[in-house]
Amino acid sequence: MQFVSTLIGVDELVADPTLEGGPAPVGTGGFLNIHADFTVHPHNRKWQRRANILLYLNENWKPSTGDLELWSADMKECVEKVTPVANRVLIFSTDVTSFHGTPSPCVARKACATLVGALLLQCRG
């Protein structure tokens, strides 16, 4: 928890005991529009989601159009692309301007947004 807290610059992170999140697959030909994730916990309105942790599970990934795109806060440009190769972990802040997605149709992609409670982080507000 301290590592992620330091990495994203948010103090007092706590684990989500309800394990909200889970598998985040994109099927062949699928896509995910550029978006910002929810920030308020669906079961406890006093918790604010502050971190996103994705673990990619794609064995033998061949380059295609399945990269996750991270966009600027004003949504004017893609600032980074992340290839979803096996065992890559992506950690980024979750707020109303953390835009991301897989906008181009891609081959099947497997990812998990939550494996254990410590991976989906909440900040008590």
Side-chain angles (χ1 to χ4, degrees):
M1 300 295 279
Q2 185 59 48
F3 171 78
V4 174
S5 180
T6 300
L7 182 68
I8 67 170
V10 175
D11 294 329
E12 300 180 22
L13 292 175
V14 297
D16 177 5
T18 64
L19 300 176
E20 289 297 320
V26 175
T28 299
F31 61 93
L32 187 59
N33 287 328
I34 303 302
H35 67 284
D37 290 336
F38 67 90
T39 57
V40 177
H41 194 275
H43 307 296
N44 186 331
R45 308 292 291 169
K46 292 183 180 181
W47 289 355
Q48 184 179 16
R49 184 174 179 195
R50 295 305 309 267
N52 202 338
I53 301 176
L54 297 173
L55 169 63
Y56 290 107
L57 307 170
N58 304 297
E59 295 293 331
N60 304 314
W61 182 261
K62 293 179 179 55
S64 71
T65 59
D67 290 350
L68 179 75
E69 296 183 6
L70 303 174
W71 281 62
S72 60
D74 61 7
M75 284 193 63
K76 290 188 177 182
E77 64 179 329
C78 173
V79 295
E80 188 73 40
K81 291 186 178 183
V82 179
T83 303
V85 296
N87 296 317
R88 176 168 285 163
V89 173
L90 176 64
I91 302 171
F92 59 96
S93 296
T94 301
D95 61 29
V96 296
T97 63
S98 57
F99 297 109
H100 61 284
T102 308
S104 301
C106 65
V107 298
R109 185 190 80 189
K110 294 182 274 185
C112 191
T114 305
L115 291 180
V116 295
L119 291 185
L120 182 62
L121 304 171
Q122 309 292 324
C123 181
R124 294 186 187 273

